[in-house]
């Protein structure tokens, strides 16, 4: 994260190659063979270093096993120019050994698990030789810890990412392959095994157990095989110029093998770091003006066995901790100087003595280790440990050094263990863990000869990097002649650490402490011990201790005054104000501090001068007194903007502040408790008075009850005497009947016994005769069958030698095969029949499509003809109006002529005018024949349309019959069943919703607008016009219909008095029964509505009388208990109750549901306690919802209150019927978060009536509560009174009953009726809403059923496919059987020929024997 942030800041503006998505940029740049940016190269170097330097430990999956310092160089403009990586102390001991649960370095596992098949062959990874083990577990260097996988990413992905980073750094594929070859060679080197043999001198020496493994390792490492074998089995020593070769024992050879592997891998790691630096290093040092470094160093380590690596790591942390202490001291010094406070007396801790113990000359631990290494073969770990003890523990029985940093007990000295006290704790180091060998880290002479001669270029380059890193290139060594001496690991490490500390001191450091909450890598889990260890080992606790030696508590002046002014409650406002507004906070704080010290020195006094004491002081006096506020004033320093305090004064001030706060809280609590007790007393007083009134009422009711019991006792006495006499009579009657029954039974048993004896005797005789006959017949049959069997056996023996019989048997087998083929052909023909039926169905479907297109054409033609008729009718109407006007004008002219005396010569003119007028009228008329012709055309088109519809329906019926016949013959597929279902559904819907008989309003309009063609001549114009108009009007009257003729009329509300209820029950028909016409259907719907209204009105009286139910009440509590987050309790279990509606007033809100226990016969006869409720009533206002079924609980699991086994089993059987249950959910109470009432009825109809009735009552409650559900609003002039739906208003009158036109209807009455209509509409909306919810539940059930049907169809199709596969298998078996039969015939022929040949040979032998004897 830090590297990405710094590199992103150093990217120049406008550079699109940088950014957080580095991987995408790398892929794009690599594909285009372009060079990566500096930022990308720096970021891509990290995966390579992690692959070669990180490993999995017990506490971290990606633990860095080396220290690194990455320095980022920036130019004057702040642009990133490059980076440089410096590493510290790679843990090479992990190459040869790692603990269980840990892993070696990541690159080994990435190569073993992510290599391709080609790489497996190239790197000699033979999976077949592992014995079933994974490669990571097979190799010695990777399988010691079990080769666990990582939790965050896989090794396959890690190899891809590492290779991608190598290519992005500019490495060629050949170089990458050589690096991976060296890694694989190290793995094969670890697989080398040694065997022991006896040398020439009799000593035990080693030899290679598997030469191929050494050859593979040498090939991959790029070295000579013989020299590698020599390096593994021989040690070369040079003494005075002479070379001595020593053969190694097997255990020493194993150590030499591990040392060689560590040497090769360490050199490879240094080479990788060098190549990374070459890629990301800046070109010119003069361009670098600033740098930012990221130091990722190993933390403090303390294990059960600590070695050289832990000593170097802890030495590094000691040096860094000293630098951190100096840095903290510097910050504190700057802060104190800025605030101008006195701080010269503050001392900070210093761990320089620990550093001197480790590195000082000549008595430092590491210095003495280097001296011991110079002794060569004479030096040893034991001698070095002894020298350390003699140096630091010179006195006898001394166990701790003078500077207390070095210690060792006598037991530890004997075991070669010494302890060093670091800043994080005491650490014990074991000297005999190859301290000298790890410090020397010399390259063996055999390895030098191996790498310098006959090796690959890469291995030589790697070796040169290792040699240059280990050589001593200091100025003192350069002056000396001769070859350069190699530096020890401690010398290299101290030099690197010194340069690192110098670099840190010249920079502005920032520290990041990473804390791991737990070792299991789980979220939301924090281990306190692990965090404490990390804080201690990370130096955080040491830093806190350093900070606390100064002034750790710092507050601004105003905050100090506000926080601690309350410590002086007795100091008045005139001496020290309570508010710091408009005053200098620094002066107030100084004054407050002086007064605190002055008051703290005085003795504490709580009493006033007159001896009285306030309530607050009493509380303070009763509490535990805090420590006196007396402390040196120097411990509290007043700066310019802050107040600095040491821990002691701060703790005292805080203790007094808590003391005064507790006193104030106690005083407030006392007042609150007083008020609570006062309120509780008033409540208890009121409750006592209420209880007294109730008790007096109970006494009166008890006296009344005793009088009633006396009356009931008299009645009980009378009934008891009656029962005694009745029981006596019943006993006498029962004795008489029993005596008669005994006599009659004895007589009947005698007759039955005689009959049985006779029947048994007859059966015995018949049975004996039958058994004898059966035995004889069986014997005869056995004899006959035995003879037949003998004959058959002889015939079979004869036929066995007869080849004709064998052929006959084969013919029988062929006949069976032919019958099997015929069966298969019949099945194929059946399939062909199925195809035939499907083809017929397709043809019928095509015919239906044609008929539908024909129907559409006929409908279009009919619409055109109707449009013509409409136009002709309008034209006829206009003609009729014109003729009427002409006729009236003509009549006027005739009358005028008749009144005026005219000459004879004018008569001819009048006749001509009359003829002209008639001609005009006739010319303007239309022929009735044409009109009739158009009507006939319309009727013909309608008949044709009806015929086409009938044909279409007939075709659909034929298709359905074809599908049913296919189903009967067993050739129908799965889809046919679903098609049949869909056809049936469409047929039903079509029959119920057929609109062919309903005239379309558009057709009516078309008939009204008929058009007729105008003829040229017609003799009887007037009669034709009138006839056509009358006929058209008659047709229009027949076609005219309103919307009410097609939909049922359901009347809402009422006008006038309610009609009297009909006594006779109406049989409901509705939509679910077949009716002959729409009028019947409308009448049926009206009857159903009437029955439903009557039932709804009767429900109130029915519920007031009582309904018998079985009741369960479930209370659920949301409180957290020991058993779980909530609890469920059945308050009532399977109790027989009578559910009643009890009115406590006229308002519907005052109505409750009461639950009355149903008593026995005697209680019903006496009428005792019939009105006493067995359970608390349920107000209607508390009901939330009413649902069918057992909502929220399994009805089969409802508990039973009966302890008898038979009764409980019967109850469980009744509970299995979910259709008898009703659920009422009520509002929560203080004792229960939810209440549920489960009611079980005796029948489903009773349950449904109760469901609809309760929902209607709740709708009435919702409406009469004044809440308007619909958009219809109540008039503001009148407020409707909330009454029960069953109650009536005395002055309620219908204003519309008055038929007098001069009487005005009052507006208030109109509003009242509007309110009634609104209430009815709201009630209907609520009922529809509940019905919609029920419909949604049923739809969900239907969808689940449809899913089950679909699954069944899929299973059926799978079975069909299985049957088809079986048929194919039968065909194959039949062919195979036929082939076997043919082969059997050939074998029989060969057998016969062989038998014949044997017979001939035997005959020839006999002839030869006979010839020899003769």
């Amino acid at each position: 994260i830090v590297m990405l942030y710094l590199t992103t800041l150093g990217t120049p503006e406008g550079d699109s190659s940088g950014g957080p998505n580095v991987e995408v940029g790398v892929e794009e740049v690599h594909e285009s063979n372009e060079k990566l940016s500096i930022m990308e190269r720096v970021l891509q170097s990290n995966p390579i270093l992690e692959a070669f330097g990180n490993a999995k430990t017990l506490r971290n999956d990606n633990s860095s096993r080396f220290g690194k310092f990455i320095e980022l160089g920036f130019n004057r403009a702040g642009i990133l120019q490059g980076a440089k990586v410096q590493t510290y102390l790679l843990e090479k001991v992990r190459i040869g050994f790692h603990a269980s649960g840990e892993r070696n370095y990541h690159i080994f596992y990435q190569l073993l698990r992510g290599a391709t098949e080609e790489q497996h062959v190239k790197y000699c990874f033979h999976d077949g030789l592992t014995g079933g083990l994974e490669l990571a577990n097979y190799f010695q260097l990777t399988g010691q810890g079990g080769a666990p996988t990582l939790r965050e990413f896989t090794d396959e992905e890690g190899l891809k990412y590492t290779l991608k980073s190598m290519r992005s750094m500019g490495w060629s594929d050949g170089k990458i392959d050589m690096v991976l070859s060296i890694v694989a060679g190290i793995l094969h080197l670890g697989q080398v095994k040694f065997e022991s043999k006896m040398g020439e001198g009799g000593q035990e020496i080693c030899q290679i157990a598997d030469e191929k493994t050494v050859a593979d390792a040498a090939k991959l490492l790029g070295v000579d095989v013989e020299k590698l074998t020599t390096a593994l089995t021989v040690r070369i020593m040079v003494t005075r110029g002479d070379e001595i070769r020593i053969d190694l024992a097997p255990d020493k050879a194993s150590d030499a093998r591990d040392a060689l592997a560590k040497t090769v891998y360490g050199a490879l790691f240094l080479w990788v770091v060098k190549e990374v630096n070459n890629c990301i290093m800046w070109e010119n040092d003069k361009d670098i003006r600033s740098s930012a470094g990221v130091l990722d160093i190993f933390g403090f380590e303390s294990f059960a066995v600590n070695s050289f690596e832990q000593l170097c790591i802890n030495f590094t942390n000691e040096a860094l901790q000293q630098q951190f202490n100096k840095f903290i001291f510097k910050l504190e010094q700057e802060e104190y100087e800025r605030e101008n406070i006195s701080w010269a007396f503050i001392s900070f801790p210093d761990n320089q003595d620990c550093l001197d113990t480790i590195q000082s000359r000549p008595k430092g631990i590491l210095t003495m280790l280097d001296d011991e290494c110079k002794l060569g073969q004479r030096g040893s770990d034991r001698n070095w440990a002894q020298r350390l003890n003699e140096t630091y523990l010179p006195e006898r029985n001394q166990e701790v050094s003078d500077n207390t940093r070095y210690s060792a007990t006598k037991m530890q000295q004997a075991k070669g263990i010494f302890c060093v006290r670091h800043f994080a704790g005491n650490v014990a180091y074991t000297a005999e863990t190859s301290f000298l060998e790890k410090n020397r880290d010399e390259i063996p002479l055999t390895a030098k000869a191996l790498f310098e001669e006959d090796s690959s270029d890469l291995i030589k380059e790697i070796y040169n990097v290792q040699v240059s890193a280990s050589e001593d290139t200091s100025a003192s060594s350069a002056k000396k002649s001769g070859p350069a001496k190699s530096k020890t690991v401690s010398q290299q490490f101290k030099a690197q650490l010194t340069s690192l500390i110098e670099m840190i001191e010249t920079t502005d450091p920032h520290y990041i402490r990473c804390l791991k909450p737990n070792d299991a890598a789980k979220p939301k889990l924090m281990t306190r011990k692990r965090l404490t260890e990390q804080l201690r080992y990370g130096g955080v606790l040491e830093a806190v201790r350093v900070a606390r030696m100064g002034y750790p508590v710092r507050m601004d002046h105003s905050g100090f005054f506000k926080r601690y002014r309350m410590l002086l409650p007795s100091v008045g406002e005139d001496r020290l104000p309570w508010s710091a507004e408009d005053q200098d906070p620094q002066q107030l704080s100084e004054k407050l501090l002086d007064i605190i010290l002055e008051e703290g020195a005085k003795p504490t006094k709580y009493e006033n001068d007159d001896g009285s004491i306030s309530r607050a002081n009493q509380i303070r006096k009763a509490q535990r007194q805090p420590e006196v506020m007396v402390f040196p004033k120097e411990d509290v320093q007043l700066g310019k903007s802050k107040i600095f305090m040491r821990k002691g004064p701060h703790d005292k001030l805080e203790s007094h502040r808590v003391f005064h706060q507790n006193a104030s809280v106690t005083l407030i609590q006392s007042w609150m408790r007083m008020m609570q007790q006062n309120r509780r007393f008033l409540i208890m007083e009121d409750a006592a008075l209420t209880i007294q009134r109730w008790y007096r009422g109970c006494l009166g009711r008890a006296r009344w009850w005793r009088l009633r019991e006396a009356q009931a006792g008299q009645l009980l006495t009378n009934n008891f005497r009656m029962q005694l006499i009745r029981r006596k009579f019943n006993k006498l009657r029962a004795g008489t009947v029993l005596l008669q029954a005994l006599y009659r039974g004895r007589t009947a048993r005698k007759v039955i016994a005689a009959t049985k004896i006779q029947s048994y005797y007859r059966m015995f005789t018949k049975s004996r005769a039958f058994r004898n006959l059966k035995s004889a017949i069986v014997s005869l049959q056995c004899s006959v069958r035995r003879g037949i069997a003998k004959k058959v056996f002889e015939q079979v023996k004869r036929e066995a030698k007869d080849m004709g019989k064998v052929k006959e048997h084969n013919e029988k087998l062929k006949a069976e095969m032919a019958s099997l083929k015929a069966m298969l052909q019949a099945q194929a023909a059946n399939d062909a029949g199925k195809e035939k039926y499907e083809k017929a169905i397709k043809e019928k479907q095509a015919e239906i499509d044609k008929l539908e297109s024909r129907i559409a054409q006929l409908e279009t033609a009919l619409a055109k003809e109707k449009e013509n008729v409409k136009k002709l009718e309008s034209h006829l109407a206009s003609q009729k109006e014109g003729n009427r006007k002409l006729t009236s004008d003509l009549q006027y002219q005739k009358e005028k002529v008749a009144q005026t005396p005219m000459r004879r010569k004018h008569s001819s003119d009048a006749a001509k005018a009359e003829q002209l007028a008639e001609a005009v009228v006739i010319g303007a008329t239309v022929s009735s024949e044409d009109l009739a012709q158009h009507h006939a055309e319309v009727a013909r088109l309608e008949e044709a349309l009806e015929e086409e519809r009938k044909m279409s329906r007939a075709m659909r019926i034929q298709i359905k019959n074809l599908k049913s016949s296919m189903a009967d013959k067993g050739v129908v597929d799965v889809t046919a069943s679903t098609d049949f279902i869909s056809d049936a559904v469409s047929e039903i819907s079509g029959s119920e919703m057929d609109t062919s008989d309903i005239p379309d309003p558009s057709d009516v309009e078309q008939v009204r607008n008929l058009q007729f063609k105008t003829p040229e001549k017609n003799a009887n114009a007037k009669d034709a016009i009138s006839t056509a108009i009358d006929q058209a009007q008659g047709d229009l009257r027949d076609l005219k219909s309103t919307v009410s003729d097609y939909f049922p009329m359901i009347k809402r509300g009422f006008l006038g008095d309610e009609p009297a209820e009909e006594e006779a029950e109406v049989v409901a028909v509705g939509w679910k029964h077949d009716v002959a016409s729409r009028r019947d259907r409308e009448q049926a719907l009206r009857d159903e509505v009437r029955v439903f209204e009557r039932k709804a009105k009767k429900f109130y009286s029915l519920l007031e009388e009582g309904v018998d139910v079985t009741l369960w009440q479930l209370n659920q509590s949301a409180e957290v208990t020991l058993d779980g987050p909530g609890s469920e309790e059945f308050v009532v279990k399977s109790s027989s109750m009578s559910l009643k509606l009890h009115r406590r007033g006229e308002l519907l809100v005052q109505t409750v549901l009461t639950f009355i226990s149903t008593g026995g016969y005697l209680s019903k006869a006496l009428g005792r306690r019939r009105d006493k409720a067995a359970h608390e009533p349920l107000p209607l206002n508390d009901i939330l919802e009413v649902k069918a079924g057992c909502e929220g609980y399994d009805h089969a699991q409802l508990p039973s209150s009966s302890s008898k086994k038979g009764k409980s089993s019967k109850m469980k059987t009744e509970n299995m019927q979910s259709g008898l249950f009703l659920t009422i959910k009520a509002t929560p109470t203080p004792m229960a978060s939810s209440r549920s009432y489960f009611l079980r009825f005796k029948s489903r109809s009773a349950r449904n009536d109760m469901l609809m009735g309760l929902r209607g009552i709740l709708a009435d409650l919702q409406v009469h509560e004044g809440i308007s559900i619909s958009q219809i609003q109540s008039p503001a002039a009148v407020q409707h009174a909330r009454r029960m739906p069953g109650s009536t208003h005395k002055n309620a009158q219908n204003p519309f009953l008055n038929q007098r036109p001069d009487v005005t209807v009052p507006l208030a009455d109109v509003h009242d009726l509007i309110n009634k209509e609104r209430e009815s509409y709201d009630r209907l909306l609520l009922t529809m809403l509940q019905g919609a919810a029920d419909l949604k539940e049923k739809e969900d059930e239907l969808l689940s059923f449809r899913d089950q049907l679909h699954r069944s169809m899929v299973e059926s199709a799978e079975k069909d496919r299985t049957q088809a596969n079986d048929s194919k298998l039968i065909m194959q078996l039949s062919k195979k059987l036929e082939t076997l039969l043919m082969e059997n015939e050939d074998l029989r022929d060969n057998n016969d020929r062989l038998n014949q040949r044997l017979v001939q040979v035997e005959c020839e032998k006999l002839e030869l024997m006979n010839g020899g004897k003769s």
Side-chain angles (χ1 to χ4, degrees), residues 1169-1186:
R1169 302 193 181 185
R1170 292 293 296 169
D1171 296 334
K1172 184 176 181 180
H1175 192 62
E1176 60 179 357
L1178 177 63
L1180 290 181
N1181 197 26
D1182 289 350
I1183 298 177
L1184 297 178
E1185 57 180 350
V1186 181

Side-chain angles (χ1 to χ4, degrees), residues 568-605:
L568 303 173
S570 60
V571 178
E573 180 75 19
D574 53 350
R575 186 179 178 187
L576 183 64
W578 284 91
S579 176
E581 295 181 359
D582 301 333
Q583 296 189 31
D584 187 8
Q586 184 176 9
Q587 295 180 0
L588 287 177
S589 300
E590 186 176 2
K591 188 175 182 181
L592 174 63
L593 181 61
D594 294 338
I595 297 177
I596 287 176
L597 294 175
E598 180 182 352
E599 294 293 331
K602 297 179 181 179
T604 305
K605 182 181 178 182

Side-chain angles (χ1 to χ4, degrees), residues 56 207 269 280 352 435 513 578 770 784 792 815 848 1046 1274 1323 1388:
K56 181 186 183 304
Q207 65 177 2
F269 180 75
I280 65 176
Q352 184 62 41
F435 263 77
R513 301 296 185 186
W578 284 91
F770 173 74
V784 173
V792 171
I848 289 174
Y1046 306 112
S1274 302
R1323 190 180 299 107
R1388 287 179 182 274

Side-chain angles (χ1 to χ4, degrees), residues 4-12 74 78-79:
L4 181 60
Y5 173 74
L6 294 176
T7 53
T8 304
L9 288 181
T11 303
F74 300 90
I79 299 175

